[in-house]
Amino acid sequence: MVDIKDYMREKAALVDSRLERLLPSADKMPPSVHKAMRYSVFAGGKRLRPILSLTTGELLGKVDQNLLDIACALEMVHTYSLIHDDLPCMDDDDFRRGKPSLHKAYTEGIAVLAGDALHALAFEILAAKAPPILVVEVAQAIGSQGMIGGQVLDLESEGKEVTPQQVEYIHQHKTGFLIRTAVRAGAICREAGGEALGALTRYGERIGLAFQIIDDILDMEGSYKNLGKRTGADQARGKVTYPKVFGLEDSRELAEKLIQEAKGDLLSFGPDANILSQIAEFIVRRIE
Amino acid sequence: MVDIKDYMREKAALVDSRLERLLPSADKMPPSVHKAMRYSVFAGGKRLRPILSLTTGELLGKVDQNLLDIACALEMVHTYSLIHDDLPCMDDDDFRRGKPSLHKAYTEGIAVLAGDALHALAFEILAAKAPPILVVEVAQAIGSQGMIGGQVLDLESEGKEVTPQQVEYIHQHKTGFLIRTAVRAGAICREAGGEALGALTRYGERIGLAFQIIDDILDMEGSYKNLGKRTGADQARGKVTYPKVFGLEDSRELAEKLIQEAKGDLLSFGPDANILSQIAEFIVRRIE
C-alpha cells in the first residue's frame, strides 16, 4: 500500500521537471511572455490532471516519454484556463494559489497572451506526441461545447437562480471534461478499448464532478491558508455552486457518493487500480 | 488569365460555405458563445490565408476536402487572434471590418472565451484533417515564439523608439508566420518538399511581410470606408509601424520590392503559378 501523498508528490515532481524542459526558457524572446507562462505553470498546482494520465497509463502498461509529455500538455491547458478565468472580465480573482494572479503580477494584456501561448504550446506537444484521435478529444473537451461552454454558462449565470441541471452542466463542462480526458489519455495511449476504457471513462467523470463540488464547498468553508485564494469569493460574486443549489450537506453527500461509485468503476482492474482508488479518496478528503 | 478579384471572391465563397458547416450552429448550447464565434468569423474577412492554402494546393495537385478544412481552421486561428487583439487590454479597437468589435457587440468575457473556443476548434479540425507535422507547424507559427511573440513585442513597444530590427521582428511574427504557414499548408498537404517547398516558403514570407507593411500604410493613409476600422489608430496609440520607422516612401518601396521578389520565387513553377503571382500583386495594390 503506497502512501498516496508521497505518490502524488513524487509524480508531481516528475511532471514539474518535464514541464521545466517543455516550456521555453525565460530568456527566450520575448522574455516577458515566457516568464509569465512559467510564473503561472510553476505557481504550485497539485498536477492532478497529469497524475491521473500517468497513473492510468501505469495501470494499463508502462509510462513512456510520450505519455509524460501529453500529461504535461494537459497541465498547460489547465493553467491557460485558470489564467483567463482570473481576468477582470471573467472571475476577477486577484489571487491564485496564494500568489497574485498573472494579470496582477504582469498586465492583463500579457495574461491574455500567456494563456493563448500555453494553449498553442499544449497543442504543439499533443500533435507531436499523441495519437490524432486523442488530440481531437482534448480539443473537444476544452472547446465551446466542453470547458469553454461551461465557463460561458458560469459567467452568464452569476447572480441568477439556476436549476440543478444547469449547475451540473456548468461543473461537468468547466471542470469534468478535462479531468475525464486526462484519465482517458492514459488509457488511449495504452490502446485500451471496450470495457476497460468505458470503466475508466466513468471513473473520470465521477471524480471530475466530485472534484468541483469539493472545490465549491472549500470556497464556502475553507480558509485562505488551505486554498491559497480568496474564499467566499463565489458567494460574493453570486456564482453558481453546488452548496448554493443543493445545500452544504447534500453536496457533501453527493461528492461522497460519486467517489464511492468511482471506486466501484475500478473493481474489474483488481488491486492494480489501488492508486486510482486512493486518488479518488484524496479528492474528497481535501475537505477534512 | 483569370480575373484575380473574381477568383478570390469565388474561393472566399467556398471557404465561407465550409466555415458555415464547421462552426457549431448558433442554437447549440451555450448559444451566446456560438453566436459570438459566428459574428466574428462572418464579419467580412477577405479569407486571404485560406485562399493561399487552396491556391498552393491547386498549383501542386488537387484540392480535397481535407485541405479545405485545414484552410478554414487557419481562418479560425486568424479570427481568434483578431478578437483578442481588439480587447481593451490589447489594441483597444472598438471597430473591426466596419462592425463593432466582438467585445463591444457582446462582452469582454464572451470575447475572450469565443477567441479561446475558435483556437480550440481550429486544432480539433487540424488534428483530424492535417498531417501531424503540419499541426505542429501551425502551433509553432502562432505560439510564444511566433504570432503571440509578435503581439507581445508590439504591445510592449507602444510609445517607444524601436529599431528597424524590432519592427521587422514584430511584423514577421505577428502576421508573417501565419501567412507563410498558410502557403506551406497547401504544399505540405500535397507532399511537396525540397526546392518547391523552399520556394513557396520564401514566397509566403515575402507576401506576409509586404501584407503587414501595406496594412500599416493603409492605417496611416486609408479611410474608414476602405479599411472598415478606425484609421490613424496606430499613430494615436504610438504603435510600431513601418512608415513610422522607415518613412512612407521607403515603406512603399520595400513592399513593392518584396512583392517582386515573391513573384520571382514562383518562376520555377512557370505559368501555373500565375494566380499566386496575382495574389501577391493584389496585396500591394490594395493601396491604390
Side-chain angles (χ1 to χ4, degrees):
Chain A
M1 188 88 167
V2 296
D3 180 282
I4 190 64
K5 282 191 184 163
D6 285 347
Y7 174 85
M8 290 183 76
R9 238 190 316 267
E10 191 190 295
K11 280 284 178 286
L14 177 68
V15 168
D16 281 0
S17 82
R18 187 63 193 153
L19 281 168
E20 177 60 50
R21 295 183 71 94
L22 288 172
L23 286 161
S25 66
D27 56 4
K28 277 256 161 58
M29 267 290 279
S32 53
V33 75
H34 296 119
K35 284 181 190 150
M37 289 161 80
R38 288 174 162 270
Y39 177 91
S40 288
V41 169
F42 297 115
K46 294 176 297 299
R47 314 302 188 201
L48 176 64
R49 290 153 195 80
I51 291 172
L52 285 167
S53 300
L54 297 175
T55 308
T56 306
E58 274 172 3
L59 170 66
L60 300 170
K62 244 182 62 190
V63 169
D64 58 13
Q65 182 77 27
N66 280 359
L67 181 55
L68 179 56
D69 286 1
I70 292 163
C72 289
L74 296 180
E75 186 68 9
M76 290 180 195
V77 165
H78 174 56
T79 307
Y80 124 67
S81 78
L82 297 180
I83 293 170
H84 283 190
D85 218 30
D86 285 341
L87 288 169
C89 63
M90 308 272 279
D91 278 359
D92 195 16
D93 268 319
D94 289 354
F95 287 92
R96 166 71 62 184
R97 294 168 178 158
K99 291 168 68 177
S101 305
L102 189 60
H103 65 274
K104 299 300 281 185
Y106 286 74
T107 62
E108 276 183 59
I110 291 293
V112 171
L113 292 170
D116 290 343
L118 285 169
H119 194 173
L121 180 56
F123 279 108
E124 181 185 332
I125 295 165
L126 290 167
K129 303 296 176 78
I133 197 173
L134 177 56
V135 189
V136 171
E137 177 165 334
V138 174
Q140 286 172 340
I142 67 174
S144 65
Q145 294 174 78
M147 183 180 79
I148 298 285
Q151 286 177 318
V152 168
L153 209 69
D154 191 22
L155 196 63
E156 293 180 338
S157 301
E158 272 177 24
K160 294 191 187 145
E161 286 296 315
V162 294
T163 63
Q165 288 73 30
Q166 282 169 318
V167 67
E168 193 180 324
Y169 176 97
I170 291 171
H171 284 38
Q172 207 168 50
H173 286 68
K174 189 174 166 157
T175 315
F177 280 10
L178 186 57
I179 290 180
R180 179 181 69 178
T181 297
V183 174
R184 283 173 56 88
I188 290 169
C189 287
R190 295 285 74 77
E191 288 165 23
E195 280 183 32
L197 184 60
L200 288 166
T201 302
R202 285 190 298 278
Y203 163 84
E205 278 170 4
R206 282 166 172 147
I207 63 166
L209 187 53
F211 180 83
Q212 186 59 48
I213 295 172
I214 298 296
D215 226 49
D216 284 355
I217 294 173
L218 285 172
D219 182 88
M220 188 172 266
E221 293 200 320
S223 67
Y224 177 91
K225 184 162 169 284
N226 286 331
L227 213 59
K229 62 181 178 181
R230 272 182 308 150
T231 53
D234 291 347
Q235 211 171 355
R237 281 182 66 97
K239 297 289 281 187
V240 176
T241 69
Y242 262 79
K244 190 178 157 194
V245 176
F246 293 94
L248 205 51
E249 266 323 295
D250 283 5
S251 298
R252 269 180 207 280
E253 270 172 36
L254 180 58
E256 189 66 53
K257 182 169 160 276
L258 285 164
I259 292 300
Q260 293 315 316
E261 287 171 351
K263 290 167 72 175
D265 293 323
L266 301 172
L267 286 177
S268 62
F269 298 100
D272 288 348
N274 180 264
I275 300 174
L276 282 181
S277 187
Q278 286 191 67
I279 293 175
E281 283 285 346
F282 170 83
I283 285 173
V284 76
R285 296 306 159 224
R286 287 194 300 157
I287 210 165
E288 280 155 13
Chain B
M1 188 91 168
V2 296
D3 179 282
I4 190 65
K5 283 189 182 163
D6 284 348
Y7 174 86
M8 291 183 75
R9 238 190 317 267
E10 191 190 294
K11 281 283 179 286
L14 177 69
V15 168
D16 282 1
S17 84
R18 187 63 193 154
L19 281 168
E20 177 59 50
R21 295 183 71 95
L22 288 171
L23 287 161
S25 64
D27 56 3
K28 277 257 161 57
M29 266 292 279
S32 53
V33 74
H34 296 119
K35 283 181 193 152
M37 291 161 78
R38 288 173 163 268
Y39 177 89
S40 287
V41 169
F42 296 115
K46 291 176 298 299
R47 313 303 188 201
L48 177 64
R49 290 153 195 80
I51 290 171
L52 284 167
S53 300
L54 297 175
T55 308
T56 305
E58 275 172 3
L59 170 65
L60 300 168
K62 244 182 61 189
V63 170
D64 59 11
Q65 182 77 26
N66 280 358
L67 182 55
L68 179 58
D69 287 1
I70 293 164
C72 288
L74 297 180
E75 185 69 10
M76 289 179 195
V77 165
H78 173 56
T79 306
Y80 123 68
S81 78
L82 297 181
I83 293 170
H84 283 190
D85 218 30
D86 284 342
L87 288 169
C89 63
M90 308 273 279
D91 278 0
D92 195 15
D93 269 319
D94 289 354
F95 287 91
R96 166 72 61 187
R97 293 169 179 160
K99 291 168 68 177
S101 305
L102 189 59
H103 64 275
K104 298 299 281 186
Y106 286 74
T107 63
E108 274 184 60
I110 291 291
V112 170
L113 293 169
D116 290 344
L118 285 169
H119 194 174
L121 181 55
F123 279 109
E124 182 186 332
I125 294 165
L126 289 168
K129 304 297 177 77
I133 197 174
L134 178 56
V135 189
V136 171
E137 178 165 333
V138 173
Q140 288 173 339
I142 68 173
S144 66
Q145 294 173 79
M147 183 180 78
I148 298 287
Q151 286 178 319
V152 168
L153 209 69
D154 191 23
L155 197 63
E156 293 180 337
S157 301
E158 272 178 25
K160 291 189 190 147
E161 287 294 316
V162 294
T163 63
Q165 287 74 31
Q166 283 169 317
V167 67
E168 193 179 325
Y169 176 96
I170 292 170
H171 283 39
Q172 207 167 51
H173 285 69
K174 189 174 167 158
T175 315
F177 281 10
L178 186 57
I179 289 180
R180 180 181 68 178
T181 298
V183 173
R184 282 173 56 88
I188 291 169
C189 286
R190 294 286 75 77
E191 289 166 21
E195 281 183 33
L197 185 59
L200 288 165
T201 302
R202 285 190 299 280
Y203 164 84
E205 280 170 2
R206 284 170 171 144
I207 63 166
L209 188 51
F211 180 82
Q212 187 59 48
I213 295 172
I214 298 296
D215 226 47
D216 285 355
I217 294 173
L218 285 173
D219 183 86
M220 188 172 266
E221 294 200 319
S223 68
Y224 176 92
K225 185 165 168 280
N226 287 329
L227 213 60
K229 61 181 180 182
R230 273 183 307 151
T231 53
D234 292 347
Q235 210 172 355
R237 280 183 68 97
K239 297 289 280 188
V240 175
T241 68
Y242 263 78
K244 190 178 157 193
V245 176
F246 292 94
L248 203 53
E249 266 323 295
D250 282 5
S251 298
R252 269 180 207 278
E253 271 172 35
L254 180 57
E256 189 66 52
K257 182 168 158 275
L258 285 163
I259 293 301
Q260 293 316 315
E261 287 171 352
K263 291 168 72 176
D265 294 323
L266 301 172
L267 285 179
S268 63
F269 298 100
D272 288 350
N274 179 262
I275 300 175
L276 282 181
S277 188
Q278 285 191 68
I279 293 176
E281 285 283 345
F282 171 82
I283 286 174
V284 76
R285 297 304 158 224
R286 288 196 299 157
I287 209 168
E288 282 157 12

